[in-house]
Amino acid sequence: MSIITTATARLIDIAVEQDRTDAVQSFVNQETILVDVETWDGGTGTGYSCTIGTGGTSVLALVRDHLLPALVGQDARNIGALWQRLFALTRATTTGAITSLALAAVDTALWDLRSKRTGEPLWRLAGAHRQEAPVYDTEGGRLHLSTEELVEGALRAQESGWAGVKIKVGRPHPSEDAERLRAVREAVGPALHIMTDANQSQTGSSVLRLAAALEPYDPYWLEEPLPADDISGHTRLAAATRIPVAVGESMYSRAPGAISWSMTIALMLSYTLSDSACRTGGTLSSSPSSGTPAAEELCGGIPTPPQGLRCPPSLASAGWAERDTQGPVTPPPPAPPPPRSYRSGRGCCAG
């Protein structure tokens, strides 16, 4: 039987091995909320959600106090109905980051259970529109790195067969970002895609200067240059630059009526949408009307990203997958590897 008999949650604090700096923050640790579910017949599933250093205990409390008690005794096969039930239980706090992160941890656990039962990876359960996606590297493009280090990292990625690299932007003057991008472009040539990410650091006026400075070096996109909820600002920017504008990573709900997502889709359909399963309440279940997965973390049929790969809308419909982790720059293997193990750092909360 598929009745859920046990549901537990725990928080693991994972320290990063290398500095990760962008225009607004330094990534010092990842608070990872893990949810484990077990059914009467012994089936198990593990889901996760994460924050960059703050808010993890709040997400954990919401999961433990409100979501997990409502799961026990329910049929794990009814994932969409369960997501709607849990969403209704937390309506007073939706739409928002804490609730969406909590829902995602539960939802990905249920999809992991289904994938294990069927013996199929999640991308196939989602429709298998695509069986592969190109991968770009972020780890070698951090803002604190020197221009020489950016060039070295991009060349390593290119030589290893990666299709693109991401360069963080947001230096004090746009000319600095332009010079760094110029050096990378000259080193790798025109074929390697170079994504740029400003991490919401710009204003309506400064972003116009930044985009103009970057344009000559053919960036593949400019990601979240303005605050995530400034939809009209991103729309004006998209009309003023030839660089595609990527938005959506920091919007925390795809629920019906969510202003950020509905406005983004309505105003910017011709531009790049970047989505995260952790931040939008889960994978397929958070978008019941579309039947299209919301996930970045759907590689290999498990919600945990193997070897740090983060996949945009599940390989079922993905345009790109992002490598965002430490370790050597090597192309992903042809077959999905097992999930990466989690190292327990400070403040580990077992439960």
Side-chain angles (χ1 to χ4, degrees):
M1 295 178 63
S2 299
I3 302 302
I4 299 170
T5 57
T6 305
T8 60
R10 53 205 161 105
L11 176 65
I12 296 178
D13 201 358
I14 305 173
V16 299
E17 297 173 355
Q18 301 174 13
D19 289 340
R20 295 182 174 186
T21 303
D22 58 43
V24 298
Q25 63 193 345
S26 292
F27 187 165
V28 295
N29 66 289
Q30 175 179 294
E31 295 180 314
T32 302
I33 300 91
L34 294 171
V35 168
D36 296 292
V37 297
E38 184 172 355
T39 58
W40 183 85
D41 59 358
T44 61
T46 299
Y48 89 109
S49 188
C50 61
T51 76
I52 304 178
T54 58
T57 55
S58 300
V59 177
L60 181 66
L62 184 59
V63 170
R64 283 178 169 172
D65 295 346
H66 299 283
L67 302 188
L68 297 190
L71 275 184
V72 176
Q74 301 298 312
D75 192 328
R77 295 173 297 180
N78 302 329
I79 302 178
L82 287 175
W83 190 92
Q84 292 291 340
R85 174 186 174 90
L86 299 182
F87 180 79
L89 284 176
T90 58
R91 192 169 296 277
T93 58
T94 55
T95 57
I98 300 299
T99 299
S100 290
L101 292 167
L103 287 169
V106 175
D107 186 70
T108 51
L110 295 175
W111 279 104
D112 184 46
L113 172 63
R114 176 173 290 186
S115 288
K116 290 176 179 177
R117 283 190 182 279
T118 62
E120 295 284 359
L122 187 50
W123 64 268
R124 196 179 299 278
L125 294 180
H129 175 66
R130 292 186 181 182
Q131 298 187 30
E132 60 183 23
V135 182
Y136 67 86
D137 175 52
T138 294
E139 196 63 27
R142 301 293 176 181
L143 196 64
H144 69 278
L145 298 175
S146 68
T147 301
E148 292 74 19
E149 290 172 315
L150 291 182
V151 170
E152 291 171 2
L155 288 172
R156 284 196 303 270
Q158 186 178 44
E159 292 167 0
S160 298
W162 296 77
V165 295
K166 181 187 283 186
I167 304 297
K168 297 289 186 176
V169 296
R171 289 276 181 156
H173 196 280
S175 62
E176 297 178 64
D177 290 313
E179 173 58 26
R180 288 157 63 84
L181 186 58
R182 181 199 63 77
V184 173
R185 173 58 72 200
E186 289 184 354
V188 300
L192 188 72
H193 295 301
I194 303 177
M195 292 73 171
T196 57
D197 188 351
N199 293 97
Q200 306 182 63
S201 63
Q202 301 297 300
T203 66
S205 57
S206 70
V207 73
L208 294 175
R209 295 192 294 272
L210 176 63
L214 300 180
E215 266 192 18
Y217 309 110
D218 192 28
Y220 193 83
W221 69 52
L222 176 56
E223 184 175 343
E224 287 193 325
L226 299 168
D229 56 0
D230 186 0
I231 307 302
S232 60
H234 281 111
T235 303
R236 289 192 296 271
L237 171 62
T241 179
R242 294 186 295 108
I243 306 173
V245 178
V247 295
E249 182 185 26
S250 298
M251 295 176 184
Y252 282 88
S253 180
R254 288 165 59 95
I259 294 176
S260 293
W261 266 101
S262 61
M263 287 184 67
T264 298
I265 293 172
L267 295 175
M268 301 187 66
L269 270 179
S270 62
Y271 300 97
T272 302
L273 294 179
S274 171
D275 197 0
S276 171
C278 284
R279 300 182 182 187
T280 57
T283 56
L284 298 167
S285 311
S286 62
S287 185
S289 61
S290 70
T292 301
E296 276 184 337
E297 290 81 7
L298 300 185
C299 298
I302 50 174
T304 307
Q307 295 190 346
L309 291 178
R310 299 195 303 155
C311 309
S314 100
L315 295 183
S317 58
W320 284 90
E322 179 180 29
R323 171 191 181 268
D324 187 11
T325 188
Q326 296 89 236
V329 179
T330 55
R340 67 180 290 179
S341 60
Y342 285 88
R343 296 182 295 102
S344 176
R346 63 177 178 81
C348 175
C349 302

